[in-house]
Coordinates of all heavy atoms in Angstrom, one line a residue:
M8 N 0.9 -1.2 0.0 CA 0.0 0.0 0.0 C 0.8 1.3 0.0 O 1.8 1.4 0.7 CB -0.9 -0.1 1.2 CG -1.7 1.1 1.4 SD -2.7 1.0 2.9 CE -4.1 1.9 2.4
A9 N 0.6 2.2 -0.9 CA 1.4 3.4 -1.0 C 0.8 4.6 -0.3 O -0.5 4.6 -0.1 CB 1.6 3.7 -2.4
S10 N 1.6 5.5 0.2 CA 1.0 6.7 0.8 C 1.9 7.9 0.3 O 3.0 7.8 0.3 CB 1.0 6.6 2.3 OG 2.3 6.5 2.8
I11 N 1.2 9.0 0.1 CA 2.0 10.2 -0.3 C 2.4 10.8 0.9 O 1.6 11.2 1.8 CB 1.1 11.1 -1.2 CG1 0.8 10.4 -2.5 CG2 1.9 12.4 -1.6 CD1 -0.2 11.2 -3.4
V12 N 3.7 11.0 1.1 CA 4.3 11.7 2.3 C 4.8 13.0 2.1 O 5.0 13.8 3.0 CB 5.4 10.8 2.9 CG1 4.9 9.4 3.4 CG2 6.6 10.5 1.9
S13 N 5.0 13.4 0.9 CA 5.5 14.9 0.6 C 5.1 15.3 -0.8 O 5.0 14.5 -1.7 CB 6.9 15.0 0.8 OG 7.6 14.2 -0.1
M14 N 4.9 16.6 -1.0 CA 4.7 17.2 -2.2 C 5.7 18.3 -2.4 O 5.7 19.2 -1.4 CB 3.2 17.7 -2.3 CG 2.2 16.7 -2.4 SD 2.1 15.8 -3.8 CE 1.4 16.9 -5.0
V15 N 6.4 18.4 -3.4 CA 7.5 19.4 -3.6 C 7.1 20.2 -5.0 O 7.0 19.5 -5.9 CB 8.9 18.8 -3.6 CG1 9.9 20.0 -3.9 CG2 9.2 18.1 -2.4
A16 N 7.0 21.5 -4.9 CA 6.7 22.2 -6.2 C 8.1 22.8 -6.7 O 9.1 23.2 -5.9 CB 5.9 23.4 -5.8
A17 N 8.3 22.6 -8.0 CA 9.5 23.1 -8.7 C 9.0 23.8 -10.0 O 7.9 23.4 -10.5 CB 10.5 22.0 -9.0
P18 N 9.7 24.6 -10.6 CA 9.3 25.4 -11.8 C 8.9 24.2 -12.9 O 9.8 23.5 -13.2 CB 10.4 26.2 -12.2 CG 11.2 26.4 -11.0 CD 11.0 25.2 -10.2
G19 N 7.6 24.3 -13.4 CA 7.2 23.5 -14.5 C 6.7 22.1 -14.1 O 6.1 21.6 -14.9
F20 N 7.1 21.7 -13.0 CA 6.6 20.3 -12.6 C 6.2 20.3 -11.1 O 6.6 21.0 -10.3 CB 7.8 19.2 -12.8 CG 8.1 19.0 -14.2 CD1 9.0 19.8 -14.9 CD2 7.4 18.0 -14.8 CE1 9.3 19.5 -16.2 CE2 7.6 17.7 -16.2 CZ 8.6 18.5 -16.8
C21 N 5.3 19.4 -10.8 CA 5.0 18.9 -9.4 C 5.5 17.6 -9.2 O 5.4 16.7 -10.0 CB 3.4 19.0 -9.4 SG 2.7 20.5 -9.5
Y22 N 6.1 17.5 -8.1 CA 6.7 16.1 -7.7 C 5.9 15.5 -6.5 O 5.5 16.2 -5.6 CB 8.1 16.3 -7.2 CG 9.0 16.8 -8.3 CD1 9.3 18.1 -8.5 CD2 9.5 15.9 -9.3 CE1 10.0 18.6 -9.5 CE2 10.4 16.4 -10.3 CZ 10.6 17.7 -10.5 OH 11.3 18.2 -11.5
S23 N 5.7 14.2 -6.5 CA 5.1 13.5 -5.4 C 6.0 12.4 -5.0 O 6.5 11.7 -6.0 CB 3.7 13.2 -5.7 OG 3.7 12.2 -6.7
K24 N 6.2 12.1 -3.8 CA 6.9 10.9 -3.3 C 6.0 9.9 -2.6 O 5.2 10.4 -1.7 CB 8.0 11.5 -2.2 CG 8.9 10.3 -1.8 CD 10.0 10.9 -0.9 CE 10.8 9.7 -0.3 NZ 11.8 10.3 0.6
S25 N 6.1 8.7 -3.0 CA 5.2 7.8 -2.4 C 6.1 6.8 -1.6 O 7.1 6.3 -2.2 CB 4.4 7.0 -3.4 OG 3.6 7.9 -4.1
T26 N 5.8 6.4 -0.4 CA 6.5 5.5 0.3 C 5.7 4.2 0.6 O 4.6 4.2 0.9 CB 6.9 6.1 1.7 OG1 7.6 7.3 1.6 CG2 7.7 5.0 2.5
M27 N 6.3 3.1 0.1 CA 5.7 1.8 0.3 C 5.9 1.2 1.6 O 6.9 1.5 2.3 CB 6.2 0.9 -0.9 CG 6.4 1.5 -2.3 SD 4.7 1.9 -2.9 CE 4.3 0.3 -3.6
V28 N 5.1 0.2 2.0 CA 5.3 -0.6 3.1 C 6.6 -1.3 3.0 O 7.0 -1.9 2.1 CB 4.2 -1.7 3.4 CG1 4.6 -2.5 4.5 CG2 2.8 -0.9 3.6
G29 N 7.5 -1.1 4.1 CA 8.8 -1.7 4.0 C 9.9 -0.7 3.7 O 11.0 -0.9 3.8
G30 N 9.4 0.6 3.4 CA 10.4 1.7 3.3 C 10.8 2.2 1.9 O 11.3 3.2 1.6
A31 N 10.5 1.3 0.8 CA 10.8 1.7 -0.5 C 10.0 2.8 -0.9 O 9.0 3.0 -0.5 CB 10.6 0.5 -1.4
S32 N 10.7 3.8 -1.8 CA 9.8 4.9 -2.2 C 9.9 5.3 -3.6 O 11.0 4.8 -4.2 CB 10.2 6.2 -1.4 OG 11.6 6.5 -1.6
T33 N 9.0 6.0 -4.2 CA 9.0 6.3 -5.6 C 8.8 7.8 -5.6 O 8.0 8.4 -4.9 CB 8.1 5.6 -6.6 OG1 6.7 5.9 -6.0 CG2 8.3 4.1 -6.5
V34 N 9.5 8.5 -6.7 CA 9.1 9.9 -7.0 C 8.5 10.1 -8.3 O 9.0 9.5 -9.2 CB 10.4 10.8 -6.8 CG1 10.0 12.3 -7.2 CG2 11.0 10.7 -5.4
T35 N 7.3 10.6 -8.4 CA 6.6 10.9 -9.6 C 6.6 12.4 -9.9 O 6.3 13.3 -9.0 CB 5.2 10.3 -9.5 OG1 5.2 9.0 -9.0 CG2 4.5 10.5 -10.8
A36 N 6.9 12.7 -11.3 CA 6.9 14.1 -11.6 C 5.9 14.1 -12.7 O 5.6 13.3 -13.6 CB 8.2 14.5 -12.3
R37 N 4.9 15.2 -12.7 CA 4.0 15.4 -13.7 C 4.0 17.0 -14.1 O 4.3 17.8 -13.1 CB 2.6 15.0 -13.3 CG 2.1 15.6 -12.0 CD 0.8 15.0 -11.6 NE 0.4 15.4 -10.3 CZ -0.1 16.5 -9.8 NH1 -0.4 17.4 -10.7 NH2 -0.5 16.8 -8.6
P38 N 3.7 17.4 -15.3 CA 3.7 18.8 -15.7 C 2.8 19.5 -14.7 O 1.6 19.1 -14.4 CB 3.2 18.8 -17.1 CG 3.5 17.4 -17.5 CD 3.3 16.5 -16.4
R39 N 3.1 20.8 -14.4 CA 2.3 21.6 -13.6 C 1.1 22.1 -14.5 O 1.3 22.4 -15.7 CB 3.2 22.9 -13.1 CG 2.4 23.7 -12.3 CD 3.3 24.8 -11.7 NE 4.0 24.1 -10.6 CZ 4.8 24.7 -9.8 NH1 5.1 26.0 -9.9 NH2 5.4 24.0 -8.9
R40 N 0.0 22.2 -14.0 CA -1.3 22.7 -14.7 C -1.1 24.1 -15.1 O -0.7 25.0 -14.2 CB -2.5 22.4 -14.0 CG -3.7 22.8 -14.7 CD -5.0 22.7 -13.9 NE -5.2 21.3 -13.5 CZ -6.4 20.9 -12.9 NH1 -7.2 21.8 -12.6 NH2 -6.4 19.6 -12.7
L41 N -1.4 24.5 -16.4 CA -1.4 25.9 -16.8 C -2.7 26.7 -16.3 O -3.8 26.1 -16.5 CB -1.3 26.0 -18.3 CG -1.4 27.5 -18.9 CD1 -0.2 28.3 -18.4 CD2 -1.4 27.3 -20.3
V42 N -2.6 27.7 -15.7 CA -3.8 28.4 -15.1 C -3.9 29.8 -16.0 O -3.0 30.5 -16.0 CB -3.7 28.8 -13.8 CG1 -5.0 29.6 -13.3 CG2 -3.7 27.5 -13.0
V43 N -5.1 30.0 -16.7 CA -5.2 31.3 -17.5 C -6.2 32.1 -16.7 O -7.2 31.8 -16.2 CB -6.0 30.9 -18.9 CG1 -6.1 32.2 -19.6 CG2 -5.0 30.0 -19.6
V44 N -5.7 33.3 -16.6 CA -6.5 34.4 -15.7 C -6.8 35.5 -16.8 O -6.0 36.0 -17.5 CB -5.7 34.9 -14.6 CG1 -6.4 36.0 -13.9 CG2 -5.2 33.9 -13.7
R45 N -8.2 35.8 -16.9 CA -8.6 36.8 -17.7 C -9.2 38.0 -16.9 O -9.8 37.8 -15.9 CB -9.8 36.4 -18.6 CG -9.4 35.2 -19.5 CD -10.6 34.8 -20.3 NE -10.4 33.5 -21.1 CZ -9.9 33.5 -22.2 NH1 -9.6 34.7 -22.9 NH2 -9.6 32.3 -22.9
A46 N -8.9 39.2 -17.4 CA -9.3 40.5 -16.7 C -10.8 40.6 -17.1 O -11.1 40.6 -18.3 CB -8.5 41.5 -17.1
E47 N -11.8 40.6 -16.2 CA -13.2 40.7 -16.5 C -13.5 42.2 -16.3 O -13.1 42.9 -15.3 CB -14.0 39.9 -15.6 CG -13.8 38.5 -15.8 CD -14.4 37.8 -17.1 OE1 -15.2 38.5 -17.5 OE2 -13.8 36.9 -17.6
G48 N -14.5 42.8 -17.2 CA -15.0 44.0 -17.0 C -14.1 45.2 -17.4 O -14.4 46.4 -17.1
Q49 N -12.9 44.9 -17.9 CA -11.9 46.0 -18.2 C -11.7 46.2 -19.7 O -10.9 47.0 -20.0 CB -10.6 45.8 -17.5 CG -10.6 45.7 -16.0 CD -9.3 45.3 -15.3 OE1 -8.2 45.1 -16.1 NE2 -9.2 45.4 -14.0
G50 N -12.3 45.4 -20.5 CA -12.1 45.5 -21.9 C -10.8 44.9 -22.3 O -10.0 44.3 -21.5
I51 N -10.6 45.0 -23.6 CA -9.3 44.3 -24.1 C -8.1 45.3 -23.9 O -7.0 44.8 -23.9 CB -9.6 44.0 -25.6 CG1 -8.4 43.0 -26.0 CG2 -9.5 45.3 -26.4 CD1 -8.7 42.4 -27.5
N52 N -8.3 46.5 -23.7 CA -7.1 47.4 -23.7 C -7.0 47.8 -22.2 O -7.8 48.6 -21.6 CB -7.4 48.7 -24.5 CG -6.4 49.7 -24.4 OD1 -5.4 49.5 -23.7 ND2 -6.6 50.9 -24.9
P53 N -5.9 47.2 -21.5 CA -5.8 47.5 -20.2 C -5.3 48.8 -19.8 O -5.6 49.5 -18.8 CB -4.9 46.4 -19.7 CG -4.1 46.1 -20.9 CD -5.1 46.2 -22.1
D54 N -4.3 49.4 -20.7 CA -3.7 50.7 -20.2 C -3.1 51.5 -21.4 O -2.4 52.5 -21.1 CB -2.6 50.4 -19.2 CG -1.5 49.5 -19.6 OD1 -1.6 49.1 -20.8 OD2 -0.7 49.2 -19.0
I55 N -3.4 51.2 -22.6 CA -2.8 52.0 -23.7 C -3.6 53.3 -24.0 O -4.7 53.2 -24.4 CB -2.7 51.1 -24.9 CG1 -1.8 49.9 -24.7 CG2 -2.2 52.0 -26.2 CD1 -1.8 48.9 -25.8
R56 N -3.0 54.4 -23.9 CA -3.7 55.8 -24.2 C -5.1 55.8 -23.7 O -5.9 56.2 -24.4 CB -3.5 55.9 -25.7 CG -2.0 56.0 -26.1 CD -1.7 55.7 -27.5 NE -2.6 56.3 -28.5 CZ -2.4 55.9 -29.8 NH1 -1.6 54.9 -30.2 NH2 -3.3 56.4 -30.7
K57 N -5.4 55.6 -22.5 CA -6.7 55.5 -21.9 C -7.3 56.9 -21.8 O -8.5 57.0 -21.7 CB -6.7 54.9 -20.5 CG -6.6 53.4 -20.6 CD -7.8 52.8 -21.1 CE -8.1 51.3 -20.8 NZ -9.2 50.7 -21.4
V58 N -6.5 57.9 -21.9 CA -7.1 59.2 -21.8 C -7.7 59.6 -23.2 O -8.5 60.5 -23.3 CB -5.9 60.3 -21.7 CG1 -5.4 60.1 -20.2 CG2 -4.8 60.3 -22.7
E59 N -7.5 58.8 -24.3 CA -8.1 59.0 -25.5 C -9.6 58.5 -25.6 O -9.7 57.4 -25.0 CB -7.2 58.6 -26.7 CG -5.9 59.3 -26.8 CD -5.1 58.6 -27.9 OE1 -5.7 58.1 -28.9 OE2 -3.9 58.7 -27.8
E60 N -10.5 59.1 -26.2 CA -11.9 58.6 -26.4 C -11.8 57.2 -27.2 O -12.5 56.3 -26.9 CB -12.8 59.5 -27.1 CG -14.2 58.9 -27.1 CD -15.2 60.0 -27.7 OE1 -14.8 60.6 -28.6 OE2 -16.2 60.2 -27.2
K61 N -11.0 57.2 -28.2 CA -10.8 56.0 -29.1 C -9.4 56.0 -29.5 O -8.7 57.0 -30.0 CB -11.7 56.1 -30.3 CG -11.7 54.8 -31.2 CD -12.5 55.0 -32.4 CE -13.9 55.4 -32.1 NZ -14.7 55.5 -33.3
V62 N -8.7 54.9 -29.5 CA -7.3 54.7 -29.9 C -7.4 54.2 -31.4 O -7.7 53.2 -31.7 CB -6.5 53.7 -29.1 CG1 -5.1 53.6 -29.5 CG2 -6.5 54.1 -27.6
V63 N -6.8 55.1 -32.2 CA -6.8 54.9 -33.7 C -5.5 55.3 -34.2 O -5.0 56.4 -33.9 CB -7.9 55.7 -34.4 CG1 -7.8 55.5 -35.9 CG2 -9.3 55.4 -33.9
D64 N -4.8 54.4 -34.9 CA -3.5 54.7 -35.5 C -3.6 54.6 -37.0 O -4.5 53.8 -37.6 CB -2.5 53.6 -35.1 CG -2.3 53.6 -33.5 OD1 -2.0 54.7 -33.0 OD2 -2.4 52.6 -32.9
A65 N -2.8 55.3 -37.8 CA -2.8 55.3 -39.2 C -1.4 55.1 -39.7 O -0.5 55.6 -39.1 CB -3.4 56.7 -39.7
V66 N -1.2 54.3 -40.8 CA 0.0 54.0 -41.4 C -0.1 54.3 -42.8 O -1.1 53.8 -43.5 CB 0.5 52.5 -41.2 CG1 1.8 52.3 -41.9 CG2 0.6 52.3 -39.7
V67 N 0.8 55.0 -43.5 CA 0.7 55.2 -44.9 C 1.4 54.0 -45.6 O 2.6 53.7 -45.4 CB 1.5 56.5 -45.3 CG1 1.6 56.7 -46.8 CG2 0.8 57.6 -44.6
V68 N 0.7 53.4 -46.6 CA 1.1 52.2 -47.3 C 0.8 52.6 -48.7 O -0.3 52.9 -49.1 CB 0.5 51.0 -46.9 CG1 1.0 49.7 -47.5 CG2 0.7 50.8 -45.3
T69 N 1.9 52.2 -49.6 CA 1.8 52.6 -51.1 C 1.1 51.6 -51.9 O 0.5 51.8 -52.9 CB 3.1 52.9 -51.6 OG1 3.9 51.8 -51.5 CG2 3.7 54.2 -51.0
E70 N 0.9 50.3 -51.5 CA 0.6 49.2 -52.3 C -1.0 48.8 -52.0 O -1.4 47.7 -52.5 CB 1.4 47.9 -52.1 CG 2.8 48.2 -52.5 CD 3.0 48.3 -54.0 OE1 2.3 47.7 -54.8 OE2 3.9 49.0 -54.4
L71 N -1.7 49.6 -51.4 CA -3.0 49.2 -51.0 C -4.1 49.4 -52.2 O -3.8 50.3 -53.0 CB -3.6 50.0 -49.9 CG -2.9 49.8 -48.4 CD1 -3.5 50.8 -47.4 CD2 -3.3 48.3 -48.0
S72 N -5.1 48.6 -52.3 CA -5.9 48.7 -53.5 C -7.0 49.8 -53.1 O -7.6 50.4 -54.1 CB -6.6 47.3 -53.7 OG -7.4 46.9 -52.6
K73 N -7.4 49.9 -51.9 CA -8.3 51.0 -51.5 C -7.7 52.1 -50.9 O -6.6 51.9 -50.3 CB -9.4 50.4 -50.6 CG -10.2 49.3 -51.2 CD -11.3 48.8 -50.3 CE -10.8 48.2 -49.0 NZ -12.0 47.7 -48.2
P74 N -8.3 53.4 -51.0 CA -7.6 54.5 -50.3 C -7.4 54.3 -48.8 O -6.5 54.9 -48.2 CB -8.4 55.6 -50.7 CG -9.6 55.1 -51.6 CD -9.4 53.7 -51.7
L75 N -8.4 53.7 -48.2 CA -8.3 53.6 -46.7 C -8.9 52.1 -46.3 O -9.9 51.7 -46.8 CB -9.3 54.6 -46.0 CG -9.2 54.7 -44.6 CD1 -7.8 55.1 -44.1 CD2 -10.3 55.6 -44.1
T76 N -8.1 51.4 -45.5 CA -8.5 50.1 -45.1 C -8.3 50.0 -43.6 O -7.2 50.4 -43.0 CB -7.5 49.0 -45.8 OG1 -7.5 49.1 -47.1 CG2 -8.0 47.6 -45.3
A77 N -9.3 49.7 -42.9 CA -9.3 49.7 -41.4 C -9.2 48.2 -41.0 O -9.9 47.3 -41.4 CB -10.6 50.1 -40.8
Y78 N -8.2 48.0 -40.2 CA -8.0 46.7 -39.5 C -8.4 46.7 -38.2 O -8.1 47.6 -37.3 CB -6.4 46.3 -39.7 CG -6.0 46.0 -41.1 CD1 -5.7 46.9 -42.1 CD2 -6.1 44.6 -41.4 CE1 -5.5 46.4 -43.3 CE2 -5.8 44.3 -42.7 CZ -5.5 45.1 -43.7 OH -5.1 44.8 -45.0
C79 N -9.0 45.5 -37.8 CA -9.6 45.3 -36.5 C -8.5 45.2 -35.4 O -7.5 44.4 -35.6 CB -10.5 44.1 -36.4 SG -11.2 43.8 -34.7
R80 N -8.6 45.8 -34.2 CA -7.7 45.7 -33.0 C -8.5 45.3 -31.8 O -7.9 45.1 -30.8 CB -6.9 46.9 -32.8 CG -5.9 47.2 -34.0 CD -4.9 48.3 -33.5 NE -5.6 49.5 -33.1 CZ -5.0 50.6 -32.7 NH1 -3.6 50.5 -32.7 NH2 -5.6 51.6 -32.5
C81 N -9.8 45.1 -32.0 CA -10.6 44.8 -30.8 C -11.0 43.3 -30.8 O -11.5 42.8 -29.7 CB -11.9 45.5 -30.8 SG -13.2 45.0 -31.9
W82 N -10.7 42.5 -31.8 CA -11.0 41.1 -31.9 C -12.4 40.7 -31.8 O -12.8 39.7 -31.5 CB -10.2 40.4 -30.7 CG -8.7 40.5 -30.9 CD1 -7.9 41.5 -30.3 CD2 -7.8 39.9 -31.6 NE1 -6.7 41.5 -30.7 CE2 -6.5 40.3 -31.5 CE3 -7.9 38.7 -32.4 CZ2 -5.4 39.9 -32.2 CZ3 -6.8 38.2 -33.1 CH2 -5.5 38.8 -32.9
R83 N -13.4 41.5 -32.2 CA -14.7 41.3 -32.3 C -15.4 41.4 -33.7 O -16.5 41.2 -33.8 CB -15.4 42.2 -31.2 CG -15.1 41.7 -29.8 CD -15.3 42.8 -28.8 NE -15.2 42.4 -27.5 CZ -13.9 42.2 -27.0 NH1 -12.9 42.6 -27.6 NH2 -13.8 41.8 -25.8
S84 N -14.6 41.7 -34.6 CA -15.1 42.0 -36.0 C -15.5 40.7 -36.6 O -14.8 39.6 -36.4 CB -14.0 42.6 -36.9 OG -14.4 42.6 -38.2
K85 N -16.6 40.6 -37.3 CA -17.1 39.4 -38.1 C -16.3 39.4 -39.3 O -16.4 38.2 -40.0 CB -18.6 39.5 -38.4 CG -19.4 39.7 -37.1 CD -19.5 38.4 -36.3 CE -20.4 38.6 -35.1 NZ -19.9 39.3 -33.9
T86 N -15.5 40.4 -39.7 CA -14.8 40.3 -41.0 C -13.2 40.3 -40.7 O -12.4 40.8 -41.4 CB -15.1 41.4 -41.9 OG1 -14.9 42.6 -41.3 CG2 -16.6 41.3 -42.4
F87 N -12.9 40.0 -39.4 CA -11.4 40.0 -39.0 C -10.5 39.4 -40.1 O -10.9 38.4 -40.6 CB -11.3 39.3 -37.6 CG -10.1 39.5 -37.0 CD1 -9.9 40.6 -36.1 CD2 -8.9 38.7 -37.1 CE1 -8.7 40.8 -35.4 CE2 -7.8 39.1 -36.6 CZ -7.7 40.1 -35.7
P88 N -9.4 40.0 -40.4 CA -8.9 41.1 -39.7 C -9.3 42.5 -40.0 O -8.8 43.5 -39.4 CB -7.3 41.0 -40.1 CG -7.4 40.3 -41.5 CD -8.6 39.5 -41.5
L89 N -10.3 42.5 -41.0 CA -10.8 43.9 -41.2 C -11.8 44.3 -40.2 O -12.5 43.5 -39.8 CB -11.5 43.9 -42.6 CG -10.4 43.5 -43.8 CD1 -11.3 43.6 -45.1 CD2 -9.3 44.5 -43.9
C90 N -11.9 45.6 -40.0 CA -12.7 46.2 -39.1 C -14.1 46.4 -39.6 O -14.3 46.7 -40.8 CB -12.3 47.6 -38.6 SG -13.5 48.6 -37.6
D91 N -15.2 45.8 -38.8 CA -16.5 46.1 -39.3 C -17.3 46.9 -38.4 O -18.6 47.0 -38.6 CB -17.2 44.7 -39.5 CG -17.5 44.0 -38.2 OD1 -17.0 44.6 -37.1 OD2 -18.2 42.9 -38.1
G92 N -16.8 47.6 -37.6 CA -17.4 48.7 -36.7 C -17.9 48.0 -35.3 O -18.5 48.7 -34.6
S93 N -17.6 46.7 -35.1 CA -18.0 46.0 -33.9 C -17.4 46.7 -32.7 O -17.9 46.6 -31.6 CB -17.7 44.6 -33.9 OG -18.4 43.9 -34.9
H94 N -16.3 47.3 -32.8 CA -15.6 48.1 -31.7 C -16.5 49.1 -31.0 O -16.4 49.3 -29.8 CB -14.3 48.7 -32.2 CG -14.4 49.7 -33.2 ND1 -14.3 49.4 -34.6 CD2 -14.7 51.0 -33.1 CE1 -14.6 50.6 -35.2 NE2 -14.7 51.6 -34.4
V95 N -17.4 49.7 -31.9 CA -18.3 50.8 -31.2 C -19.3 50.0 -30.2 O -19.3 50.7 -29.1 CB -19.2 51.4 -32.3 CG1 -20.2 52.3 -31.8 CG2 -18.3 52.1 -33.3
K96 N -19.8 49.0 -30.5 CA -20.7 48.2 -29.5 C -19.9 47.8 -28.3 O -20.2 47.9 -27.2 CB -21.4 47.1 -30.2 CG -22.3 46.3 -29.4 CD -22.9 45.1 -30.1 CE -23.8 44.2 -29.3 NZ -24.3 43.1 -29.8
H97 N -18.7 47.2 -28.6 CA -17.9 46.8 -27.5 C -17.5 48.0 -26.6 O -17.5 47.9 -25.4 CB -16.5 46.2 -28.0 CG -15.4 46.0 -27.1 ND1 -15.4 45.0 -26.1 CD2 -14.3 46.7 -26.9 CE1 -14.4 45.1 -25.4 NE2 -13.7 46.2 -25.8
N98 N -17.1 49.2 -27.2 CA -16.7 50.3 -26.4 C -17.9 50.7 -25.5 O -17.7 51.2 -24.4 CB -16.2 51.4 -27.2 CG -14.9 51.2 -27.8 OD1 -14.1 50.3 -27.4 ND2 -14.5 51.9 -28.9
K99 N -19.2 50.8 -26.0 CA -20.3 51.2 -25.3 C -20.6 50.3 -24.1 O -20.9 50.7 -23.0 CB -21.5 51.4 -26.3 CG -21.4 52.6 -27.1 CD -22.7 52.7 -28.0 CE -22.5 54.0 -28.9 NZ -23.7 54.1 -29.8
A100 N -20.4 49.0 -24.4 CA -20.8 48.0 -23.4 C -19.8 47.9 -22.3 O -20.2 47.6 -21.2 CB -21.0 46.6 -24.1
T101 N -18.5 48.2 -22.6 CA -17.5 48.0 -21.6 C -16.8 49.2 -21.1 O -16.1 49.2 -20.2 CB -16.4 47.1 -22.2 OG1 -15.8 47.7 -23.2 CG2 -16.9 45.7 -22.6
G102 N -17.0 50.4 -21.8 CA -16.2 51.7 -21.4 C -14.8 51.6 -22.0 O -14.0 52.5 -21.6
D103 N -14.6 50.7 -22.8 CA -13.3 50.7 -23.4 C -13.1 51.6 -24.5 O -14.0 52.4 -24.9 CB -13.0 49.2 -24.0 CG -11.5 48.7 -23.9 OD1 -10.7 49.6 -23.9 OD2 -11.3 47.6 -24.2
N104 N -11.9 51.8 -25.1 CA -11.7 52.8 -26.1 C -10.9 52.3 -27.4 O -10.2 53.1 -28.0 CB -10.9 54.0 -25.5 CG -9.5 53.7 -25.1 OD1 -9.2 52.5 -25.0 ND2 -8.7 54.7 -24.8
V105 N -11.1 51.1 -27.6 CA -10.3 50.5 -28.7 C -11.0 50.9 -30.1 O -12.1 51.2 -30.2 CB -10.4 48.9 -28.8 CG1 -9.6 48.4 -27.5 CG2 -11.7 48.4 -28.7
G106 N -10.0 51.0 -31.1 CA -10.5 51.3 -32.5 C -9.6 50.7 -33.5 O -8.6 50.0 -33.0
P107 N -9.8 50.8 -34.8 CA -9.1 50.1 -35.8 C -7.7 50.7 -36.0 O -7.5 51.9 -35.8 CB -10.0 50.3 -37.0 CG -10.7 51.5 -36.7 CD -10.9 51.7 -35.3
L108 N -6.9 50.0 -36.8 CA -5.7 50.4 -37.4 C -6.0 50.9 -38.8 O -6.6 50.0 -39.5 CB -4.6 49.4 -37.4 CG -3.3 49.7 -38.1 CD1 -2.6 50.8 -37.6 CD2 -2.5 48.5 -38.3
L109 N -5.9 52.1 -39.2 CA -6.1 52.6 -40.5 C -5.0 52.6 -41.4 O -4.0 53.3 -41.0 CB -6.7 54.0 -40.4 CG -8.1 54.1 -39.5 CD1 -8.5 55.6 -39.5 CD2 -9.2 53.2 -40.1
L110 N -5.0 51.9 -42.5 CA -3.9 51.9 -43.5 C -4.4 52.9 -44.6 O -5.5 52.5 -45.2 CB -3.7 50.5 -44.0 CG -3.1 49.5 -42.9 CD1 -2.7 48.2 -43.5 CD2 -2.0 50.1 -42.1
K111 N -3.6 53.8 -45.0 CA -4.0 54.9 -45.9 C -3.1 54.7 -47.2 O -1.8 54.6 -47.0 CB -3.9 56.2 -45.4 CG -4.8 56.5 -44.3 CD -4.7 57.9 -43.7 CE -5.7 58.2 -42.7 NZ -5.4 59.6 -42.1
K112 N -3.7 54.6 -48.4 CA -2.9 54.5 -49.6 C -2.4 55.9 -49.9 O -3.2 56.9 -49.9 CB -3.8 54.0 -50.8 CG -3.0 53.9 -52.0 CD -3.8 53.2 -53.1 CE -3.1 53.0 -54.3 NZ -3.9 52.3 -55.3
Q113 N -1.1 56.0 -50.3 CA -0.5 57.3 -50.5 C -0.6 57.6 -51.9 O -0.4 56.9 -52.8 CB 0.9 57.4 -50.0 CG 1.5 58.7 -50.0 CD 2.8 58.7 -49.2 OE1 3.5 57.9 -49.5 NE2 3.1 59.8 -48.6
Ligands
FES290 FE1 -12.6 45.7 -34.2 FE2 -13.4 47.9 -35.4 S1 -14.4 45.9 -35.3 S2 -11.6 47.6 -34.3

């Protein structure tokens, strides 16, 4: 019959030591479980230019087919990577200030 007598944590792995009747022991290593923590209620933009009503950047590109192309940065567009305006609803619902990346043909 085995009993766990100690648990030791080390980066990346959890170790457990089992001692058998008679004194023999084994050490088992298994990968540590990854825990994902999400910020709730703060939107996707935690701290970039929060004083602005909407964060919009523009880059001049010479090879674009249209004069202006908006790329989504809020991750809510149904036409991702292109912006479809979904950021407006997201901003109203969360108080966030995300906006598209505008690429302008020169
Ligand atoms: Fe995402 Fe406009 S829909 S930035």
Side-chain angles (χ1 to χ4, degrees):
M8 178 182 209
S10 63
I11 296 175
V12 294
S13 66
M14 295 287 287
V15 180
F20 289 92
C21 294
Y22 298 93
S23 61
K24 180 179 179 183
S25 300
T26 302
M27 312 298 276
V28 173
S32 64
T33 59
V34 176
T35 304
R37 59 185 166 81
R39 184 170 285 185
R40 183 186 294 188
L41 176 65
V42 177
V43 177
V44 178
R45 295 177 191 273
E47 295 290 332
Q49 296 178 354
I51 196 170
N52 179 4
D54 58 2
I55 298 169
R56 294 154 46 190
K57 283 294 199 181
V58 296
E59 298 177 25
E60 183 178 40
K61 182 187 305 180
V62 178
V63 178
D64 298 309
V66 177
V67 177
V68 180
T69 57
E70 298 293 324
L71 292 174
S72 60
K73 296 189 294 186
L75 184 66
T76 305
Y78 283 87
C79 177
R80 294 192 300 178
C81 75
W82 297 91
R83 285 157 179 85
S84 174
K85 303 292 185 277
T86 60
F87 194 87
L89 299 177
C90 172
D91 68 355
S93 294
H94 60 269
V95 175
K96 182 179 177 184
H97 166 76
N98 287 346
K99 285 182 181 173
T101 64
D103 209 345
N104 66 344
V105 294
L108 170 66
L109 301 178
L110 297 185
K111 295 178 181 178
K112 186 175 183 178
Q113 192 172 36

